Amino acid sequence: MTTEESDPVVKEIPVLVSTKLKDRLYLFQYPIRPSSFPYAPNSIYTSRVKPKQGRVELSVALDTLSEDYDRSKGEQIALNVDGVNATLSEKDFPNGLMDKQILLSSRAIKDPSRYAIGLISQGKLHLTPLKDILVIRPDLSYLDKSDKTAKSEGRILINPEEQDFEEAMEGEEEPKQVTVKFAKTDSETLKKNREKTYDYQKKKEFMEKWIPMTYNSGDSEEAKTEFSKLICDNEEGKVNQDVEGGKYLDNFKEQT
């Protein structure tokens, strides 16, 4: 019995490619948020994006009236982050309460060009290429701000172990100046190494400005309109299948 006989083709499905959302379709992944416990649709009240850096920021309102919310802890976090001297515009939590959470994205893969979203409609598979695949996680940078605020207001108590370490460091000998020579490095290699550094990447990210967006819940009319663009209307375009496997996708003619 041949392979074709043991594993016969039971059905052929036409494959169409839609480009209505070309360069605008993102896939979000929430690795630490179970699908059974999604964010409430009306809880996301602001959103913005840095498309070149693959950064998306979502502001999610917290249910401060929930019995699971610790109000005293929320007030303490807000005080630690904003301090007592910040103006209203400088505060992360102007209501004096941690009443929101910031979600921030990072790129899941370097090259998303091989991925697409598929939708089966009326027995046909419609594919839309992805612009990017992003991983969404809570942004905890407010904890860093909390430490800085506490230090500036003199509210940091030195840990006894850290104090012993600092005293031991003070007893060490003064550092001596030494001369170090570095071999000459190729300028192109030096440039590539510099571009890999954390400081360079942060500077590059900082230089790109945030673009405000309007968030629409999945059941809104705006979302339904965008969802309909996943369907390819032009079914006349054809794909040359008589090519090598590696070149098949390269010759895939985009249809709209």
Side-chain angles (χ1 to χ4, degrees), residues 158-170:
I158 299 178
N159 186 296
E161 295 182 359
E162 294 180 354
Q163 189 171 11
D164 293 341
F165 176 76
E166 291 183 1
E167 291 176 354
M169 291 295 292
E170 291 177 357

Side-chain angles (χ1 to χ4, degrees), residues 114-153:
R114 298 181 299 162
Y115 295 85
I117 291 293
L119 173 67
I120 295 181
S121 176
Q122 298 180 352
K124 300 172 184 177
L125 176 60
H126 300 259
L127 298 178
T128 300
L130 284 170
K131 168 67 174 178
D132 218 335
I133 302 176
L134 305 178
V135 178
I136 309 293
R137 294 187 176 93
D139 179 24
L140 303 179
S141 59
Y142 66 90
L143 296 177
D144 296 331
K145 184 180 178 182
S146 176
D147 291 340
K148 292 179 181 179
T149 302
K151 289 179 181 179
S152 65
E153 295 181 352

Side-chain angles (χ1 to χ4, degrees), residues 57-157:
E57 184 184 272
L58 305 175
S59 297
V60 183
L62 299 179
D63 184 5
T64 58
L65 299 179
S66 170
E67 60 181 11
D68 299 321
Y69 182 83
D70 189 337
R71 190 174 185 86
S72 62
K73 187 66 175 179
E75 293 174 348
Q76 185 62 50
I77 292 175
L79 177 62
N80 291 343
V81 173
D82 296 328
V84 295
N85 300 320
T87 62
L88 192 63
S89 60
E90 295 174 337
K91 292 184 176 182
D92 285 5
F93 306 108
N95 295 325
L97 184 72
M98 184 180 178
D99 53 3
K100 67 178 180 180
Q101 182 182 46
I102 302 298
L103 303 180
L104 193 62
S105 73
S106 60
R107 280 198 168 100
I109 57 176
K110 292 183 178 180
D111 182 16
S113 62
R114 298 181 299 162
Y115 295 85
I117 291 293
L119 173 67
I120 295 181
S121 176
Q122 298 180 352
K124 300 172 184 177
L125 176 60
H126 300 259
L127 298 178
T128 300
L130 284 170
K131 168 67 174 178
D132 218 335
I133 302 176
L134 305 178
V135 178
I136 309 293
R137 294 187 176 93
D139 179 24
L140 303 179
S141 59
Y142 66 90
L143 296 177
D144 296 331
K145 184 180 178 182
S146 176
D147 291 340
K148 292 179 181 179
T149 302
K151 289 179 181 179
S152 65
E153 295 181 352
R155 292 188 283 110
I156 287 293
L157 296 178

